[in-house]
Amino acid sequence: MASVQTLSHVYPIGSRLDDHGRLQIGGCDVLELAERFGTPAYVVSEEDLRTRARAFLDGFRAAGHEDFEVVFASKAFPATAVMALFAKEGLGCDVASAGELHLALRAGFDPAKLVFHGNARDDAEFVAALDARVGYIVVDSGDDIDRLERLSAGLAAAPQPVLLRVAPGVSGHTHEKISTGQADSKFGVSLQEAPAALERLAALPGLDLQGLHFHLGSQLFTLETFRDGVAAIAPLGDFPVYDLGGGLGVAYTAEQEPPAIEDYVAALVEAAREQLGPGKRLLIEPGRALVANGGVTLYRVVGVKRNVSTWVAVDGGMSDNLRPMLYGARYEAQVADRFGGSTRVHLTGKHCESGDVLIRDALLDDPRVGDVIVVPVTGAYGHAMANNYNGVPRAPVIFVADGEARVVVRRETLDDLHARDVDG
Ligand code: LLP
């Protein structure tokens, strides 16, 4: 019975099943969206993105902390429309390459609200950031200091504010590929090296050393990890600015319960007040927690094969969502107009390798060719890591709000696949 089905918290805020058991997101019927825009498609609820952005901002205010910046880690969803939405909500933006910097400026962010990251930026990227007058450049290594010393020397403008990224020796309890805070990391300088690096930075006239940064890892569920990070960097000195990175985890499946955004912010504010002292300017850089749950992917079933298992093949896969293959990430799925069901299937993609399985042992309601399948929680690092494997054009991004849908990133065409060829 459709009316007894309820949606779990993994779906975008404002999603519902209508009287016929059909999924609606942002007031739009997803079967109609699949028909109108084709599949696969990323469907993103604007209300969801806005609500989460405001939860971060309100979290600081509720915790009584006024001097803060919520900086969207654009790598999680580097689409202009997403970035522009967050710019309008008053967020800053974390950019980790000249490309993301370019996108952020086009999306309308005030350069002063940009934080420039990376462990391997070349001269041209630093020059682009210096020319744009970004809010902060985050220094990742001694080689970065050499580069910035050279490149900032001739600048007529005021000194460039910088933060030093420290690997605080605290490992996020998460997949090893997305854990970054451990001592043996490619990111940041070690606690041992930090004092010498800070001394060098403070002495450079072209730079204005403002404080410290860490990013412990991604998809973190334990607030204690963040508290440990703050405690680890506290002895490095007293600075006006601390950027505590991103990493707050989200629920990919119904049984997962990550910390609420407000609780996470409150814990950081409290840890900062206790460990770093009052009145600090605090930055955080959420990516996933801003965009993951706002997005779903719609696929259409192309084939159903039964051998030892039941294999339900859809028209996308590792070209639109690499996360199951890279990190063993677990997702849920439903037939978009028949939630529930108990047919055990492997939901597979269309790519030419056996590893292209989106979900093993998904329970679906007897999926058939032509059904629309919805996979929730694909807003973060889905579009971001999409690729053209097997010559599959990348999927569009559709914004939905108040019953209206609009394409904000179009589907790639077959001609796009050879648009960069130079010899015919
Ligand atoms: N700040 C810095 C410096 C980062 O490197 C990252 C993510 C973030 C903030 C945002 O982290 P978040 O809040 O999204 O956890 N592709 C992987 C995630 C890689 C995260 C890289 N850095 C995935 O799909 O799980």
Side-chain angles (χ1 to χ4, degrees):
M1 268 287 291
S3 55
V4 299
Q5 293 284 351
T6 50
L7 286 176
S8 85
H9 61 294
V10 301
Y11 282 86
I13 291 165
S15 305
R16 59 183 284 269
L17 295 178
D18 73 8
D19 295 343
H20 307 288
R22 289 162 67 126
L23 177 64
Q24 290 187 349
I25 301 177
C28 296
D29 179 302
V30 301
L31 293 192
E32 284 172 20
L33 295 177
E35 196 60 47
R36 184 168 155 207
F37 299 108
T39 50
Y42 303 106
V43 173
V44 177
S45 157
E46 292 183 59
E47 180 196 351
D48 186 286
L49 302 187
R50 287 211 174 85
T51 305
R52 291 181 208 268
R54 289 172 194 175
F56 278 103
L57 298 169
D58 291 344
F60 276 102
R61 294 180 193 122
H65 196 92
E66 291 302 324
D67 193 3
F68 67 88
E69 195 79 75
V70 176
V71 178
F72 169 48
S74 62
K75 69 205 78 184
F77 204 152
T80 306
V82 173
M83 295 163 92
L85 181 150
F86 287 137
K88 286 205 188 82
E89 290 295 322
L91 270 51
C93 189
D94 151 358
V95 295
S97 67
E100 285 180 356
L101 172 61
H102 176 73
L103 290 176
L105 293 171
R106 270 195 82 239
F109 281 103
D110 176 353
K113 280 183 172 269
L114 300 184
V115 180
F116 183 48
H117 280 290
N119 72 307
R121 291 159 293 183
D122 61 19
D123 279 14
E125 291 184 295
F126 278 115
V127 167
L130 289 165
D131 283 351
R133 300 292 304 155
V134 299
Y136 300 99
I137 291 180
V138 180
V139 174
D140 195 82
S141 65
D143 295 311
D144 276 0
I145 303 178
D146 293 344
R147 276 190 196 94
L148 281 168
E149 176 171 17
R150 193 161 34 79
L151 298 171
S152 68
L155 283 183
Q160 168 66 48
V162 296
L163 305 174
L164 178 68
R165 177 164 182 170
V166 177
V170 173
S171 47
H173 301 284
T174 186
H175 193 285
E176 62 159 301
K177 286 184 188 158
I178 54 175
S179 178
T180 47
Q182 67 276 15
D184 193 14
S185 168
K186 74 167 189 168
F187 297 104
V189 302
S190 68
L191 287 173
Q192 294 70 33
E193 280 177 281
L198 290 167
E199 207 172 307
R200 270 194 78 192
L201 286 170
L204 294 179
L207 304 182
D208 173 15
L209 174 62
Q210 286 282 305
L212 303 177
H213 168 276
F214 67 60
H215 171 71
L216 302 173
S218 203
Q219 185 60 356
L220 305 179
F221 272 54
T222 321
L223 295 181
E224 208 48 43
T225 307
F226 295 98
R227 291 196 193 96
D228 291 348
V230 175
I233 61 163
L236 290 176
D238 188 19
F239 298 94
V241 181
Y242 290 89
D243 181 336
L244 307 179
L248 177 62
V250 306
Y252 281 90
T253 55
E255 69 281 0
Q256 288 181 310
E257 287 290 348
I261 289 172
E262 291 82 354
D263 295 342
Y264 158 80
V265 174
L268 290 186
V269 167
E270 188 189 286
R273 209 175 278 148
E274 281 170 11
Q275 302 282 344
L276 309 173
K280 302 301 183 190
R281 178 168 170 71
L282 295 181
L283 277 65
I284 57 169
E285 301 169 339
R288 190 189 313 269
L290 278 167
V291 294
N293 293 89
V296 308
T297 306
L298 303 182
Y299 299 102
R300 209 174 276 276
V301 175
V302 180
V304 180
K305 186 179 289 179
R306 291 190 179 82
N307 44 33
V308 180
S309 310
T310 299
W311 302 87
V312 175
V314 296
D315 51 3
M318 63 194 293
S319 51
D320 57 77
N321 187 359
L322 268 177
R323 301 194 69 262
M325 302 82 198
L326 275 181
Y327 319 115
R330 183 81 197 156
Y331 286 81
E332 289 181 357
Q334 297 285 355
V335 180
D337 54 349
R338 300 193 309 277
F339 270 52
S342 55
T343 313
R344 183 175 294 272
V345 310
H346 299 323
L347 190 72
T348 81
K350 67 183 276 117
H351 296 280
C352 298
E353 53 186 278
S354 297
D356 177 36
V357 178
L358 288 162
I359 308 173
R360 282 193 176 271
D361 295 314
L363 295 177
L364 297 177
D365 183 7
D366 187 22
R368 306 185 275 270
V369 170
D371 278 343
V372 173
I373 301 287
V374 56
V375 174
V377 208
T378 56
Y381 304 106
H383 163 87
M385 300 197 295
N387 59 79
N388 290 124
Y389 188 31
N390 291 134
V392 174
R394 281 176 290 183
V397 179
I398 316 292
F399 267 19
V400 290
D402 303 323
E404 301 286 333
R406 64 194 169 105
V407 179
V408 296
V409 179
R410 66 162 172 81
R411 185 182 305 284
E412 273 181 325
T413 63
L414 295 181
D415 284 342
D416 286 331
L417 295 177
H418 55 79
R420 293 184 300 142
D421 291 0
V422 278
D423 290 320

